[in-house]
Amino acid sequence: MADTGFLDWPFFEPRHRDWAAEVEAWAAQYAETLSDEHDADASVIRLARAMGDAGLLRVPCPADGVLDVRALCIARDILARHSGLADFAFAMQGLGTGPVTLFGSAAQRDRVLPGARAGTALAAFALSEPEAGSDVSALALTATPDGNGHYRLNGEKTWISNGGIAATYVVFARTGEAPGAKGLSAFLVPADASGLTVAERIEVTAPHPLARLHFADVRVAAEDMLGKPGEGFKVAMSTLDVFRASVGAAALGFARRALDMTVEHAASRKIFGGTLFDQQMSQAAIADSATDVEAAALLVYRAAWLKDSGTPRVTREASMAKLHATEAAQRCADRNVQIHGGLGVTKGHKAEELYREVRALRVYEGASEIQRVVIARMERERLDSRPRQLRTSLG
């Protein structure tokens, strides 16, 4: 079990410590035993059901509609340390239902959330397209009114997590109220909707259920829209504002596991009449990873605490948390591979698995480069908002 001293930080309340113990106990018993990257679909289905049975999905799919971001981050931190697929299964139930929790009507919440909370119905967040990843304003999938209280969806989505195994998709489409991002809307689309097909299953470095979806005159009722017409960008960004810090938390969990493995292997590996740990370069690698982990934890849990405290906009802090934590986790995983030598690049070894698992986190839900753009722009906004006299005195 990893060091949980960080839970004594002032970001947390007693209920968070109780939650961490609950998740850790479940993860220690089930997370790795239920995970098999050779059958990612079955693993995620199995894991989600087990989490539902244990009551863990009450946090990403809350009955009261209140998302506890600190609790989300704690769970992802712990689950990722044990199993990337377990983290994925937990996170996608939250991301896939987040728009429903935040913007859904009572009827929509009643339809989607109970099954998601039980782990019997998987959820998916369908935003990205072949020509629109980081640039959400470039979405091309259309939702056209058919004059009978319905819309027709036409186009494609790709890199959709849980694609092919989800029961419900939150689909973002162009409804045309205004150019660019202001002309998007969000819809609930059942997986068995006529005209919705899985065009391709996508294989990635660390196996996870991913797919390209094709929409051919998929008919959805106007009452299946989440929020109002033209609010799709708001729905997407508000959801990501909650879950972006949790991506950093998952990276943190991977980094913690990599650090523990680095120290353990260095301390036990015999070399040059001593241990690998005795080499100063090994100590430098361990020190750098330990510092990366602590800094990532502070950024992640600060962002989560701010969101839970009612701060209306945590885009800057969440972007910093995701950027630093994912980049730091990649460094920790790389050092772990290096310390393990040949074992570190042996397929099937945990060091090699961690190296693959971490990589995607630097891309999805806003690549590192996009996070840097967001942070830089918000720093300029912060400067512009200062009194002119103060800005002048700063040079």
Side-chain angles (χ1 to χ4, degrees):
M1 182 173 176
D3 179 15
T4 57
F6 73 95
L7 290 168
D8 292 327
W9 291 350
F11 298 125
F12 304 105
E13 301 169 28
R15 61 189 172 87
H16 293 116
R17 288 182 274 277
D18 293 341
W19 167 244
E22 181 183 351
V23 176
E24 179 63 46
W26 183 90
Q29 185 171 359
Y30 298 110
E32 292 189 69
T33 59
L34 296 179
S35 299
D36 176 8
E37 69 171 26
H38 299 294
D39 191 349
D41 285 10
S43 294
V44 170
I45 293 169
R46 217 170 26 239
L47 285 158
R49 183 59 184 266
M51 289 179 192
D53 288 344
L56 299 186
L57 297 179
R58 69 184 187 275
V59 168
C61 310
D64 63 3
V66 179
L67 286 162
D68 184 335
V69 186
R70 285 168 293 177
L72 287 170
C73 288
I74 288 169
R76 295 200 66 180
D77 186 345
I78 293 170
L79 291 169
R81 181 162 43 78
H82 288 274
S83 159
L85 282 171
D87 165 66
F88 176 91
F90 177 89
M92 281 313 305
Q93 289 303 85
L95 182 62
T97 60
V100 183
T101 300
L102 296 172
F103 294 91
S105 65
Q108 290 169 337
R109 291 196 295 271
D110 289 344
R111 190 196 333 164
V112 173
L113 295 181
R117 192 179 303 118
T120 56
L122 301 186
F125 185 85
L127 181 64
S128 295
E129 297 182 5
E131 300 299 327
S134 298
D135 184 6
V136 176
S137 66
L139 291 184
L141 187 146
T142 58
T144 306
D146 72 356
N148 191 28
H150 286 74
Y151 287 83
R152 299 279 183 174
L153 274 57
N154 286 280
E156 287 196 343
K157 294 291 180 181
T158 193
W159 303 301
I160 305 306
S161 296
N162 276 351
I165 61 173
T168 306
Y169 298 90
V170 174
V171 180
F172 296 87
R174 182 161 301 285
T175 42
E177 289 77 14
K182 294 182 179 180
L184 307 175
S185 299
F187 297 88
L188 276 175
V189 182
D192 60 0
S194 178
L196 171 55
T197 56
V198 177
E200 176 189 13
R201 294 305 302 273
I202 301 171
E203 295 186 13
V204 288
T205 306
H208 293 81
L210 285 172
R212 177 168 59 90
L213 307 176
H214 184 71
F215 295 76
D217 271 343
V218 176
R219 193 167 185 257
V220 295
E223 64 188 22
D224 289 332
M225 182 182 289
L226 291 160
K228 299 176 182 178
E231 288 190 341
F233 184 78
K234 176 184 175 182
V235 172
M237 294 304 107
S238 295
T239 304
L240 292 174
D241 212 31
V242 170
F243 286 92
R244 185 161 285 151
S246 83
V247 180
L252 176 58
F254 289 133
R256 291 191 201 276
R257 181 70 177 266
L259 172 60
D260 287 349
M261 289 180 64
T262 301
V263 176
E264 289 170 4
H265 186 74
S268 61
R269 178 75 163 91
K270 304 297 183 182
I271 187 172
F272 299 131
T275 66
L276 190 56
F277 185 88
D278 297 328
Q279 305 299 311
Q280 288 187 340
M281 293 297 285
S282 298
Q283 294 174 22
I286 290 167
D288 287 344
S289 288
T291 303
D292 274 339
V293 165
E294 291 297 311
L298 285 164
L299 284 167
V300 165
Y301 289 113
R302 177 191 68 156
W305 170 75
L306 284 170
K307 187 65 177 177
D308 286 340
S309 299
T311 303
R313 188 182 184 193
V314 297
T315 306
R316 172 179 174 269
E317 291 78 11
S319 290
M320 286 180 170
K322 182 186 185 294
L323 171 64
H324 179 80
T326 56
E327 295 289 334
Q330 189 76 71
R331 294 191 294 268
C332 292
D334 187 71
R335 295 182 193 114
N336 187 39
V337 167
Q338 198 71 12
I339 288 290
H340 276 81
L343 287 174
V345 292
T346 302
K347 192 164 182 62
H349 193 279
K350 189 65 177 182
E352 179 265 347
E353 179 187 323
L354 283 170
Y355 188 83
R356 289 185 290 108
E357 286 281 7
V358 166
R359 189 60 184 84
L361 273 66
R362 295 168 56 205
V363 175
Y364 75 70
E365 288 189 41
S368 292
E369 291 74 15
I370 297 300
Q371 304 310 322
R372 290 185 172 99
V373 170
V374 169
I375 294 164
R377 287 177 176 174
M378 297 199 76
E379 286 304 299
R380 180 169 180 173
E381 286 181 19
R382 278 157 52 89
L383 179 61
D384 290 345
S385 68
R386 295 176 187 173
R388 181 175 179 82
Q389 184 177 15
L390 177 58
R391 284 187 279 138
T392 303
S393 69
L394 291 173

